[in-house]
Amino acid sequence: MRVLPRGRLSYGMQLPVQSQSTLYAEPWEAGAGPAELLAVARAADRLGFAYLAVCDHVAIPRRLAAAMGTVWYDPVATLGWLAAATERVRLLSHVAVAALRHPLLTAKQYATLDHLSGGRLILGVGAGHVREEFEALGVDFARRGALLDETVDALKAALGPEEFPDFRGERFAFSGLGQAPRPVQTPRPPLWVGGSSPAAVRRAAVRGDGWLPQGDPRHRLPGQIARLRALREAAGIDEPAEIGAITEPLYVGEPGWDVGRRTLTGAPQRLADSLRAYAAMGVDQIQVRFRCRDHAELTDQMAAFAADVAPHLDDRPDDRPDDRPDDRPDDRPDDRPDDRSNGRSDD
């Protein structure tokens, strides 16, 4: 079940403000709120971004609050609000900790979101990593992987074409229970699986329509993609999974401030040359994040990327200028923490 254009490297982004882990949030986000969130979402919609992503945490324990923060907007409420303010951009949960909730409840929420948005939902799911969240909600943390596997199977039934779906598993069973409104997308909305552990890659391969890696560095991605494809083929699934990647932080142009050593900076062609390497690995969509000092600089960076970088993401090698720079990302540690996990461990 493919929703992105074939043969093109699509780009999307996780929204600022809605999650404020110290691993990746910019300082200005602490004082921002709905107005800034809305401005960025509308900019993404206008500028051709493939999706907006929102994270999921119910509650953060004190032991993790210093690093993760406690600001985590609810994904369904946030994406539903933004659906009314946008027209074409897809709405991605990256990722919903689906094992925390009964699949019928999750299906009701996200089917309604797909219906209200005119069929723009991408349901991203992951197993979660915060033990205390599971304990508070009475869910077995140690069994979260197996629980997510069955939850995904149940969601496929509950979000499918039947108003009265049937499902019977070890933990969940439902029959003769109707849910409406139904999703707009048929036979159901796409379901992408997040995580980079062996279990998560296997889950994405055999159960998902797409894969959302959890911050794999570039050198690891080809091996992970090869494994996912081999597992998918062994499972007899012909449709290729839509494969994602989270890029290094970006800044279009030459920054006049310290953006960190790991940030890819420079002329648009330089950035495009670097990002095309993801497509060469077999990646279908990249999730980008821009270094910025306020929401105005963020929307300026988004506009510069859409106008000057994105048109070159699909250039063939012959299309590139002979004097293009050699841009190999620096794998040295940055002076900021590695942001690419985005607080979304989901093994």
Side-chain angles (χ1 to χ4, degrees):
M1 180 181 300
R2 189 176 185 93
V3 295
L4 300 177
R6 294 182 184 273
R8 290 178 52 192
L9 183 61
S10 298
Y11 56 94
M13 66 180 292
Q14 184 180 150
L15 287 168
V17 181
Q18 53 82 32
S19 66
Q20 296 187 28
S21 169
T22 60
L23 294 177
Y24 54 85
E26 300 285 3
W28 65 267
E29 296 179 52
E36 291 83 2
L37 184 65
L38 184 61
V40 175
R42 283 175 166 163
D45 190 51
R46 182 176 67 252
L47 294 168
F49 281 67
Y51 63 77
L52 303 171
V54 175
C55 296
D56 181 26
H57 277 292
V58 172
I60 307 301
R62 288 187 185 275
R63 70 178 178 88
L64 297 175
M68 292 180 62
T70 58
V71 177
W72 296 84
Y73 286 32
D74 178 78
V76 178
T78 305
L79 292 173
W81 178 61
L82 294 174
T86 56
E87 295 180 355
R88 55 152 302 279
V89 68
R90 285 189 170 268
L91 309 167
L92 168 66
S93 57
H94 190 178
V95 287
V97 186
L100 288 176
R101 304 167 179 93
H102 193 287
L104 280 181
L105 174 60
T106 299
K108 167 59 73 175
Q109 293 174 315
Y110 284 99
T112 302
L113 175 56
D114 194 65
H115 179 82
L116 292 174
S117 67
R120 289 188 279 146
L121 169 69
I122 301 173
L123 178 54
V125 300
H129 70 107
V130 179
R131 179 183 295 274
E132 289 89 338
E133 284 184 305
F134 284 78
E135 292 174 347
L137 296 175
V139 182
D140 186 353
F141 179 77
R143 296 285 297 163
R144 69 194 186 282
L147 183 59
L148 178 58
D149 286 344
E150 185 169 317
T151 298
V152 170
D153 294 342
L155 284 171
K156 287 181 176 180
L159 291 170
E162 299 299 327
E163 182 179 354
F164 292 84
D166 290 304
F167 179 80
R168 185 166 299 279
E170 293 183 11
R171 300 162 185 83
F172 306 117
F174 46 84
S175 179
L177 296 171
Q179 286 191 327
R182 304 303 302 157
V184 170
Q185 297 181 82
T186 57
R188 57 173 172 78
L191 199 152
W192 292 357
V193 174
S196 292
S197 70
V201 173
R202 176 177 291 278
R203 184 176 299 119
V206 303
R207 286 184 161 86
D209 303 307
W211 178 47
L212 297 164
Q214 180 149 331
D216 295 79
R218 290 195 188 204
H219 70 272
R220 284 194 62 199
L221 275 173
Q224 292 276 69
I225 292 170
R227 180 172 180 270
L228 182 144
R229 287 174 171 168
L231 289 167
R232 201 167 178 86
E233 181 179 0
I237 303 172
D238 295 328
E239 180 71 17
E242 293 193 279
I243 294 171
I246 301 175
T247 74
E248 300 82 0
L250 305 176
Y251 194 93
V252 184
E254 297 298 335
W257 56 289
D258 183 9
V259 295
R261 291 192 302 271
R262 284 190 57 255
T263 301
L264 299 180
T265 67
Q269 187 69 55
R270 177 184 179 90
L271 297 184
D273 283 350
S274 178
L275 296 175
R276 271 197 302 272
Y278 285 104
M281 298 174 195
V283 169
D284 299 293
Q285 62 87 6
I286 50 174
Q287 185 173 122
V288 296
R289 182 178 71 80
F290 304 96
R291 295 302 316 277
C292 54
R293 292 163 291 183
D294 54 39
H295 90 275
E297 185 171 27
L298 173 55
T299 54
D300 286 347
Q301 282 286 301
M302 293 166 62
F305 182 90
D308 301 325
V309 179
H312 300 291
L313 290 178
D314 303 310
D315 287 352
R316 299 184 305 273
D318 291 345
D319 296 329
R320 285 178 274 173
D322 292 337
D323 60 347
R324 63 190 180 276
D326 181 12
D327 186 17
R328 287 184 285 269
D330 189 347
D331 287 333
R332 294 173 298 168
D334 195 356
D335 25 351
R336 302 176 83 242
D338 187 340
D339 62 279
R340 288 177 295 169
S341 71
N342 283 359
R344 296 188 302 257
S345 176
D346 36 30
D347 296 345

